[in-house]
Structure formats: structure tokens, C-alpha cells
Amino acid sequence: MSPSPTSARRGRPRGSELPELLSIARQAFIANGYRGTTMDAVAGHAHISKQSLYREYPSKDALYCAVVLDWVEHGYDAMRPHATALSEAHDAREGLLVLARVMQAGLLSPPVLQMRTLIAAEAQRFPEVASDYVTRSWSRNIHVLATALDVLAARGLLRIDDSDLAAEQLTWLVVAAPLNRLTLQAGAHPYSEDELEAVAAQGVATFLSRYGPGDMDRR
């Protein structure tokens, strides 16, 4: 028997709904770090009592883990439709350029950069959380991209012997330089569209010089 709407909400916070609560907590962790975030502050911003917050999450550790898990779940299938579009491309270069722009838009967006910074800063405190993030956010999307590259190879548009390695190389070619700069250089200005387009074009050209269909004789 399914619970009634009233019984399903019993014990839930009366202020922010659960997804909004996790969003509020995420912003608190990003702004203040793990050490600087308090359950009192999160409860206050969510307009719920501290007791209600503790009923949902018995500790700040539990809240942090839930925040990261929620973030990963929301981005779980982000790559799949774009990888499908790549696998259906008629021209490998054009398809790869479109995908490069998508990866840049995702990986270099402020929310993603902020979460990567937070998770890296707390990796020693929460090694399992960081490992799960890498596995389900990074590794899974790399494998989805690798599957699309395999399809292009089967269609004769690429020559690839290790698609997972090729997928990782492609990703780093088009995002590594701006990702490093935006993550490690305090106050760095976002790249312009023209700058990102140049990075994407050069990255795809380098990728095709290794994996293009006419490159077999040089390997």
C-alpha cells in the first residue's frame, strides 16, 4: 500500500523541500568550506529548525555526503545524449567539435568548478565520497564517450584501438588548459567564446592527427 501524501511528508522539514535543502547546503559548503559550514547556518537559510535538519541528516558529515551524491545524480546522464549525437555524426571533425564545445560548457561552468574544488579540498576527509564522484561522474562519462568513439570507428570515421584512452585524451585536449587555469589561478577571468573555440579546434585537430582514418600508416 502506498503511503498517503500526508504520511509521506511526516517528519520532513516544513521549510525548504529536500532538493532545495540540499541546494542550500551545497552553496554553504562551496562558500564556507566544510569546516566553515554549520548545521545551524544551513537550517537557518533553509527556514527549518535544527532538529528537523538533524532528522534528515544526523551529522554534518551525512549532510556533506548527501550533497555530493545529489550533485552526481543530477549529472548522471548528462553526457549520453551528446555522445549519441556524436556517434550519429556524418563528419567526425564536425561531430567532435560540437562535443568539445559541450564538454567545455559543462566542465568549465562555475557550479562544476566549484564542486570539483570542494570535493578535492575534502578528499582526505571523505576519500570514499571523492572516489565515488570520480567513478560515477568522470569515469562513467568517459566510458559513454568511448562507446560513441567505437561507433565512429566501426563506421570507418576513426581508427581507435583503445577507446577509453582515446576518450580521456580527447577530454583533456579540449578542457585541460582552461580547467587548470580556472581552478588554480585565483581571480582568473573566464575564457571568451573565441578562446574556447580555438582550444577546441586545436584539441580536435591533435586528436584526429592520432586517430583520424588516414593516420594508420604513421602509427
Side-chain angles (χ1 to χ4, degrees):
M1 178 177 177
S2 299
S4 68
T6 301
S7 65
R9 283 192 52 77
R10 188 170 295 139
R12 293 285 188 188
R14 289 186 176 181
S16 301
E17 297 291 335
L18 196 57
E20 185 184 358
L21 172 60
L22 291 175
S23 177
I24 290 168
R26 182 173 70 251
Q27 291 306 316
F29 283 123
I30 287 171
N32 306 306
Y34 178 85
R35 291 180 182 274
T37 298
T38 67
M39 297 290 272
D40 281 344
V42 172
H45 282 104
H47 304 294
I48 60 175
S49 69
K50 188 167 68 172
Q51 291 75 19
S52 294
L53 179 59
Y54 273 107
R55 276 201 300 271
E56 291 292 334
Y57 305 104
S59 66
K60 188 167 71 169
D61 284 11
L63 178 60
Y64 173 80
C65 293
V67 162
V68 178
L69 177 62
D70 177 70
W71 177 258
V72 173
E73 291 291 346
H74 276 83
Y76 198 64
D77 279 321
M79 175 65 76
R80 189 170 298 282
H82 305 292
T84 298
L86 173 62
S87 69
E88 296 171 350
H90 297 292
D91 181 277
R93 180 180 179 277
E94 289 304 316
L96 290 168
L97 281 173
V98 170
L99 185 72
R101 297 179 193 115
V102 168
M103 289 193 291
Q104 289 176 338
L107 291 172
L108 303 179
S109 66
V112 172
L113 291 173
Q114 291 165 351
M115 282 301 292
R116 284 175 63 91
T117 299
L118 173 66
I119 293 166
E122 302 303 333
Q124 287 192 327
R125 183 188 298 270
F126 299 100
E128 292 182 359
V129 172
S131 177
D132 183 66
Y133 175 83
V134 170
T135 298
R136 296 200 301 141
S137 180
W138 179 267
S139 300
R140 184 175 184 275
N141 283 326
I142 289 293
H143 185 66
V144 169
L145 174 55
T147 300
L149 295 179
D150 277 333
V151 174
L152 291 181
R155 294 171 54 204
L157 298 178
L158 295 174
R159 297 291 183 90
I160 293 177
D161 48 10
D162 185 336
S163 57
D164 284 294
L165 175 61
E168 193 153 41
Q169 289 173 339
L170 174 63
T171 301
W172 283 119
L173 282 168
V174 300
V175 303
L179 181 63
N180 260 355
R181 179 170 172 265
L182 294 172
T183 302
L184 301 176
Q185 186 177 337
H189 294 291
Y191 277 53
S192 69
E193 288 187 14
D194 287 345
E195 288 173 324
L196 288 177
E197 184 70 25
V199 171
Q202 290 298 320
V204 168
T206 300
F207 182 82
L208 288 174
S209 73
R210 171 64 174 84
Y211 295 109
D215 197 62
M216 285 296 289
D217 294 338
R218 289 180 286 164
R219 287 165 53 180

